[in-house]
Every structure is written in C-alpha cells, then in structure tokens.
Amino acid sequence: MAILTKPLSGVQKKPEEQQQDEKLVADTDINLPGVDDGLDENENLDYLYKRVNRVGLLTNYCLMVSLIALLILGVGAGIHSYQVFALRNSYAGMCRLPLKKFMSPDIKTAIDKLRLLDAGYPHEKLDDILENQHEKETVEFDFDIDVEEENYEVLELPEIFLGRYMHDFSQNITVIIDSLRDNCYIMPLDRELVPPPKSMFDMILKMKQGYYNLDFQEIRKNYRVMGDEIDHIEDYGMLATRACSNKDTYKLEELVGDVIVKRETTKLEKFGEFMGNTLVQYHIVNLDQ
C-alpha cells in the first residue's frame, strides 16, 4: 500500500491552467477611463472629486456672467425709459394767460359772449349778463412744444378759437386741425410771424410768472381752400400724417393784394391762435362751400 507524504496544495498546476487563472483575475480588475493603471483606489476617487469640482465651478461662473449681463441690460433699459418719459424735452401743458389785457374791446366782448354761449346762456341775454358780470382777464392756452430739437410746436386757445395749430419747422408747414369738421388745412409756415419753439416756450414761462411785458398786436389773414382733398398726406411729413391721417385734408392759399372780404370788423373769426406777442385770426373765404 502506497502512502502520500505531500499535501494536495503542493500539487503543481499545469502551465496551461495557471495562465487561465491569471487571465480571469486580470479581467476582473476595475479600469476607469482616463486613469492610469498605476493609480490605486484612493487616487481614483481624488481624481473624480477634482473633476466634479472643476465642472461645478465652470457652471457657476457661466451662471454669474449671465446674471451680470441681464442686470446690465435691465439697468440700461431703465435709464433709457427714464430719459424718454421723465426727461423728455418736449413740454406739453396748459396755463391761463392774461391775453385779454392786451386785446381790443371788441375782441374781448366777442370772447366773453362765446364763453357764455358755451355755458348755455341764451343769445338775447348776453349783453345784459356782460354788464353785470365781472370779466375774467385770463384765457386757457394749451401747448406742446419741442424745445430740444425745435421741430414743432402745437398751440391752442380752446376758449376763443376752433382747432389746434401745429407748426412743423422741419417741413415748413402750418397745419390747422379742425376736430369739429374732422378736417385739416395745410399752409406754408410763416417764419417771420411764428416764433421758434424755444422762444415761444420762454415767452410762455415769463407770462406765467407775470413779468413779461407783452407788445401785443392783432392780425387778420385771409385764405381760401385750394382744389380738392389732398390724396397723399404722407408727402407732408410724419407729424402731419399722424395728425391728419383720418381726416379730410386740404391746402390753403393766402389771399394778398386787393382782396375784398365781406365780414364784420368786430366779429371773431372761427380760426385763430396766439403766437408769442401776436393774436392771429384766419378767415377762410370758401370754408363752407
């Protein structure tokens, strides 16, 4: 009977079996992409932690830059809106001016009668009422003036005359906007008579403050409507187009020389405006034709 003296662990494996075992062990190793095989497990974790931190910092940086850009855009939009709406250089408003102190008695009486008629008083009692009523020495004056660029000024005396009067200095035209008839009338701008916007605004401020000595004059001018309605209002600029796009628009021609116009000298015209130191009345001879 044979007796074995070596343990089973001492039995040597065949070379082919040893190679297969080493291959299986090699296949079970964990390989991380971009990490050298020589790094141990702690070094691999440090690498992943650093990479996550680097990506997080880049994301926070992009987010911060985006927020700063939005903040700058918001501040810029706010400044622009403030300049447009709060610091606009065209001044619109209403005031009461002591124009009646400088008007002739006939014009003052006509204005007072118009005011009483608007209040509903009968025409036959106007003279009696005026004798017992204290006159108002001021009249309402509405204005919209482009002070910075001096492109336009819009003036109105609603208690005295019909319409608004827009002087467009960029197009050299004056536009009478008659809201009652829903019409517009265009005529050349008289630069010798119409003060520029800055001068007009300065005179308004001085009159409101009460220390402007007005060298007042009254002028009557005669006009007639020329031809048919204007077809292309856009030819007269942006301001006229915006004011008269939904109205029938006509061109006015001034009548000069020996023109006979039958009207009462004390009658107040339908159209007129105040221009600094001048009250201009416009008589349109064929207005109702």
Side-chain angles (χ1 to χ4, degrees):
M1 177 182 227
I3 299 175
L4 297 176
T5 58
K6 290 185 177 182
L8 294 176
S9 59
V11 180
Q12 294 183 354
K13 294 182 179 179
K14 295 181 180 180
E16 294 81 1
E17 295 177 354
Q18 185 175 359
Q19 291 178 358
Q20 290 179 357
D21 294 340
E22 292 176 354
K23 185 176 181 181
L24 291 174
V25 173
D27 292 340
T28 58
D29 291 342
I30 299 176
N31 293 325
L32 296 174
V35 181
D36 296 338
D37 294 338
L39 297 176
D40 58 14
E41 184 178 356
N42 291 332
E43 291 176 341
N44 291 341
L45 292 176
D46 291 341
Y47 169 77
L48 291 176
Y49 179 75
K50 291 178 180 179
R51 185 169 182 178
V52 170
N53 285 341
R54 186 164 60 249
V55 173
L57 290 175
L58 182 61
T59 302
N60 292 336
Y61 176 76
C62 293
L63 181 61
M64 182 178 64
V65 171
S66 301
L67 291 176
I68 292 175
L70 290 176
L71 179 62
I72 293 174
L73 290 176
V75 172
I79 293 175
H80 177 72
S81 301
Y82 177 75
Q83 291 176 344
V84 170
F85 296 103
L87 298 179
R88 60 191 297 261
N89 290 311
S90 60
Y91 293 86
M94 184 275 290
C95 62
R96 301 197 67 87
L97 300 179
L99 298 182
K100 292 179 65 177
K101 293 181 179 180
F102 311 98
M103 295 177 182
S104 63
D106 294 333
I107 297 299
K108 292 171 66 175
T109 301
I111 293 173
D112 291 329
K113 287 183 178 181
L114 285 175
R115 181 178 289 143
L116 292 175
L117 288 173
D118 291 338
Y121 291 96
H123 188 276
E124 59 274 10
K125 296 183 178 180
L126 296 183
D127 293 333
D128 296 335
I129 295 174
L130 288 177
E131 290 180 359
N132 301 320
Q133 180 175 318
H134 179 69
E135 293 186 7
K136 294 182 179 180
E137 294 295 333
T138 61
V139 294
E140 179 182 339
F141 179 63
D142 301 331
F143 59 91
D144 184 356
I145 302 176
D146 179 14
V147 178
E148 181 180 15
E149 297 181 358
E150 296 193 276
N151 286 328
Y152 71 90
E153 59 189 20
V154 182
L155 311 174
E156 182 180 6
L157 289 171
E159 293 182 357
I160 305 177
F161 300 113
L162 298 177
R164 290 180 291 119
Y165 302 83
M166 181 178 67
H167 304 289
D168 187 345
F169 289 81
S170 62
Q171 297 292 326
N172 287 314
I173 59 173
T174 292
V175 182
I176 300 176
I177 306 168
D178 183 6
S179 300
L180 183 63
R181 293 180 175 83
D182 208 23
N183 290 342
C184 282
Y185 305 97
I186 298 178
M187 56 186 175
L189 175 64
D190 188 351
R191 288 181 175 266
E192 295 183 359
L193 187 61
V194 180
K198 284 185 178 180
S199 299
M200 186 67 195
F201 186 70
D202 183 62
M203 283 187 284
I204 293 173
L205 290 181
K206 291 181 178 179
M207 290 187 68
K208 289 177 66 175
Q209 294 169 1
Y211 60 86
Y212 183 72
N213 294 323
L214 194 64
D215 185 15
F216 195 81
Q217 59 179 341
E218 298 177 27
I219 297 178
R220 293 175 182 261
K221 304 184 73 172
N222 301 311
Y223 289 87
R224 69 178 180 184
V225 177
M226 292 179 54
D228 298 327
E229 178 185 350
I230 296 176
D231 295 327
H232 302 287
I233 185 61
E234 61 272 8
D235 295 339
Y236 293 88
M238 179 189 66
L239 296 176
T241 302
R242 185 170 58 186
C244 305
S245 59
N246 297 324
K247 295 179 174 60
D248 298 333
T249 305
Y250 302 91
K251 192 172 183 179
L252 293 181
E253 177 187 30
E254 186 176 4
L255 302 178
V256 295
D258 297 332
V259 179
I260 299 177
V261 179
K262 295 182 179 180
R263 67 175 187 269
E264 299 179 18
T265 57
T266 60
K267 181 181 177 181
L268 192 67
E269 299 292 346
K270 296 179 179 178
F271 299 104
E273 61 176 322
F274 168 70
M275 296 182 294
N277 61 349
T278 305
L279 184 70
V280 181
Q281 298 188 54
Y282 302 107
H283 178 69
I284 304 177
V285 296
N286 57 344
L287 179 63
D288 297 323
Q289 296 179 5

